[in-house]
Amino acid sequence: MVKRPDARRRSEKSRRAIYDAALSLVGDVGYPRTTVEGIAARAGVGKQTIYRWWPSKADVLLEAFLDLGERVAEEAGQQPYRIPDTGDLAADLKAVLRATVDELLDPRFEAPSRALAAEGLVNEQLGREFVAKLLEPQLQLYVERLRSAQEAGQVRAEVDPRIALELFVSPLAQRWLQHTGEISHTYTDTLVDYALHGLAPR
Amino acid sequence: MVKRPDARRRSEKSRRAIYDAALSLVGDVGYPRTTVEGIAARAGVGKQTIYRWWPSKADVLLEAFLDLGERVAEEAGQQPYRIPDTGDLAADLKAVLRATVDELLDPRFEAPSRALAAEGLVNEQLGREFVAKLLEPQLQLYVERLRSAQEAGQVRAEVDPRIALELFVSPLAQRWLQHTGEISHTYTDTLVDYALHGLAPR
C-alpha cells in the first residue's frame, strides 16, 4: 500500500528525529544508560512510535549509524558503500581512507561511535551484531577492491584479501579508538604505501 | 630504611591480593563501578591500606596490569619487556606476536583488559594515561627492534618504525578488541609476512 505523501513526510521527519536523539543520547550517557524511553523523550515522540519500527535500542542505534554514514558520505560527495576502481589501487585506497579520517574526526560521529565501540568491547553479543551489520560490510568492500587488484596483477595472488585489508584499516581504527596516535591524510597515505610495498627492501 | 623481612612478606602478600582483587572486580563490574572500597573489601584489607600505596583506583589498576603482564611473561619463560634480536626479523616478530596471542587468550587477562580498554575509549584521560604507561612502552620495543633491523638492512631506511609496527600490532588488537575475527599463531605469522614483503608483487 502506498502511503499518502503527507504521512510519509511526517514519518520521515520522526525517523530522522529519532536517529538524531539516539545518537546524541548514547554519546552523552553511554550505551547502558540509553533507553528507548530516553530516546523517545529526546526525540519528542511516544515510546510506542519507536517500538512500532524497532524491537530494541540496539536496532534503533544500528539504523541511526547506517543513516549517519550515508549522510556524511553524501555531504562529502562520495558514493556511499563503494570503493572506486580507477585501476590505481594505491590512489583508490588512499582516497577512501582519507574520507574515513574525515568521518572519524566529524564531531557528530565521534561521541556516539566511541560509546558504541566501548559497549561492544564488554558486551560480546552487541559487539558481534554491530560488527556483522555495520563494520564487516564495509570491510567486504576492501575485499572486493583487493580481489580486483589481484586480477589486475597488482596484488600477489596468494594474499588473503580479508587479512590484507587489516594492514591499513586496523592501524587507523586503533589510533582513533585508543588515542595511540594522531590520524591524518598523511598517516593513512603512509599506511597504504607500507602495506603495498612492504617494510623490507625490494 | 630496610623493612623487616616479615613486614615485607606481609606487605607483598597484601599487594598481590589487592592486584588480584582489582583485576577481578574491574572484569566483573566494569571500570565505572569499581571503587577503592570495593577492591579493599574483595582483597580483605582496609581501604586505608590501599590509599597508603596508591592515590586512586586508576593507579592500582595500572600497577595490577603491569604485574599481571610480568607474571604471564615469566610463566611463559619469556624475558619480559624485550623482543629477541636473533638477526632474523620475521622470526623474532612472529615469536613475540605468538606470545601476545597466548596472553590475549589467557582468561585472567581477558575480562579486566576489555573493561579497561572499554573505559579508555570513552574516558579520554584514563585512556591516554594507560596508553602512555602501559601500551606505548610495549610498542617502543617494536620501534627498537625495527631500528636494529634498519641498521642490518632488513627494513627500508625511509620507513618510520612507529608507524610500521602498527601493520602487524593493530590488526591483532582490533580482532581481539572488536571480535572482528579469530586470532591465532597462523594469523599473526601471516601479518608479519604481509607487512615485511608487501601486498604487491615483487
Side-chain angles (χ1 to χ4, degrees):
Chain A
M1 193 189 85
V2 177
K3 285 187 184 175
R4 282 178 309 134
D6 274 6
R8 200 164 52 209
R9 253 203 305 277
R10 263 204 309 278
S11 152
E12 273 307 303
K13 212 175 142 196
S14 298
R15 191 178 284 266
R16 175 56 49 86
I18 291 164
Y19 289 156
D20 288 344
L23 292 173
S24 70
L25 187 61
V26 82
D28 286 349
V29 306
Y31 184 85
R33 292 170 58 205
T34 295
T35 59
V36 167
E37 287 75 7
I39 296 170
R42 193 172 279 216
V45 302
K47 71 176 179 176
Q48 286 313 316
T49 303
I50 294 181
Y51 281 123
R52 196 187 315 147
W53 288 326
W54 300 281
S56 73
K57 67 176 179 178
D59 297 287
V60 187
L61 279 165
L62 176 65
E63 280 195 22
F65 269 97
L66 288 170
D67 178 71
L68 176 63
E70 281 171 21
R71 272 189 282 168
V72 170
E74 217 167 277
E75 285 164 27
Q78 301 156 30
Q79 286 285 341
Y81 304 118
R82 274 207 51 206
I83 292 176
D85 191 348
T86 65
D88 182 342
L89 176 63
D92 294 347
L93 294 177
K94 287 177 184 178
V96 174
L97 288 167
R98 284 173 173 227
T100 305
V101 166
D102 295 342
E103 188 175 328
L104 292 175
L105 295 176
D106 187 316
R108 289 173 297 177
F109 188 84
E110 173 95 13
S113 299
R114 283 192 185 285
L116 209 68
E119 183 66 16
L121 260 54
V122 289
N123 178 337
E124 188 165 343
Q125 198 198 330
L126 184 84
R128 289 193 187 276
E129 189 174 350
F130 272 76
V131 166
K133 293 184 178 164
L134 211 59
L135 186 53
E136 194 60 37
Q138 291 173 359
L139 298 182
Q140 285 302 316
L141 304 177
Y142 287 98
V143 170
E144 286 163 29
R145 183 64 189 85
L146 289 170
R147 286 223 178 94
S148 153
Q150 282 178 315
E151 282 161 23
Q154 292 167 349
V155 166
R156 287 185 282 127
E158 68 274 22
V159 160
D160 178 341
R162 180 60 187 77
I163 297 177
L165 68 92
E166 296 175 51
L167 270 66
F168 38 84
V169 167
S170 299
L172 175 60
Q174 189 178 25
R175 281 197 178 206
W176 181 77
L177 278 171
Q178 297 199 289
H179 306 289
T180 45
E182 298 303 314
I183 67 174
S184 67
H185 292 181
T186 310
Y187 168 65
T188 49
D189 286 0
T190 302
L191 290 174
V192 170
D193 289 332
Y194 289 2
L196 293 183
H197 303 300
L199 305 176
R202 285 190 170 237
Chain B
M1 192 190 85
V2 178
K3 285 186 182 176
R4 280 179 308 133
D6 274 7
R8 199 163 53 210
R9 251 203 308 276
R10 261 206 309 281
S11 151
E12 273 307 304
K13 211 176 145 196
S14 297
R15 192 178 283 267
R16 175 57 48 84
I18 291 165
Y19 289 157
D20 288 344
L23 293 173
S24 70
L25 187 61
V26 81
D28 286 350
V29 306
Y31 184 85
R33 291 170 60 206
T34 294
T35 59
V36 168
E37 286 76 5
I39 296 169
R42 195 173 279 216
V45 301
K47 71 176 178 176
Q48 287 315 316
T49 303
I50 295 181
Y51 282 123
R52 195 187 316 149
W53 289 327
W54 303 280
S56 73
K57 68 176 178 178
D59 297 287
V60 187
L61 280 165
L62 176 65
E63 281 195 22
F65 269 98
L66 288 170
D67 179 70
L68 177 63
E70 281 170 22
R71 271 188 283 167
V72 169
E74 217 167 279
E75 284 166 27
Q78 301 156 31
Q79 284 286 340
Y81 304 117
R82 274 206 53 204
I83 293 178
D85 191 346
T86 65
D88 181 342
L89 177 64
D92 293 346
L93 294 176
K94 286 176 184 177
V96 173
L97 289 167
R98 284 174 174 226
T100 306
V101 166
D102 295 342
E103 186 174 331
L104 292 175
L105 295 177
D106 186 318
R108 287 172 298 177
F109 188 84
E110 173 94 16
S113 300
R114 285 194 183 285
L116 208 68
E119 182 66 17
L121 261 54
V122 290
N123 178 339
E124 189 165 342
Q125 198 198 330
L126 183 84
R128 289 194 187 277
E129 189 176 349
F130 272 75
V131 166
K133 293 184 179 163
L134 211 58
L135 186 52
E136 194 61 37
Q138 291 174 357
L139 298 183
Q140 285 302 318
L141 303 177
Y142 287 100
V143 169
E144 285 162 30
R145 183 65 189 84
L146 289 170
R147 285 223 179 96
S148 152
Q150 281 178 315
E151 282 161 24
Q154 292 167 350
V155 166
R156 288 185 282 127
E158 68 273 23
V159 160
D160 178 340
R162 181 59 188 77
I163 298 178
L165 68 90
E166 297 175 49
L167 269 66
F168 39 85
V169 167
S170 299
L172 175 60
Q174 188 177 27
R175 282 197 177 206
W176 182 77
L177 277 171
Q178 298 199 288
H179 306 289
T180 46
E182 299 301 313
I183 67 175
S184 67
H185 292 181
T186 310
Y187 167 65
T188 49
D189 285 0
T190 303
L191 290 174
V192 170
D193 288 332
Y194 288 3
L196 293 184
H197 304 299
L199 306 176
R202 286 190 168 235

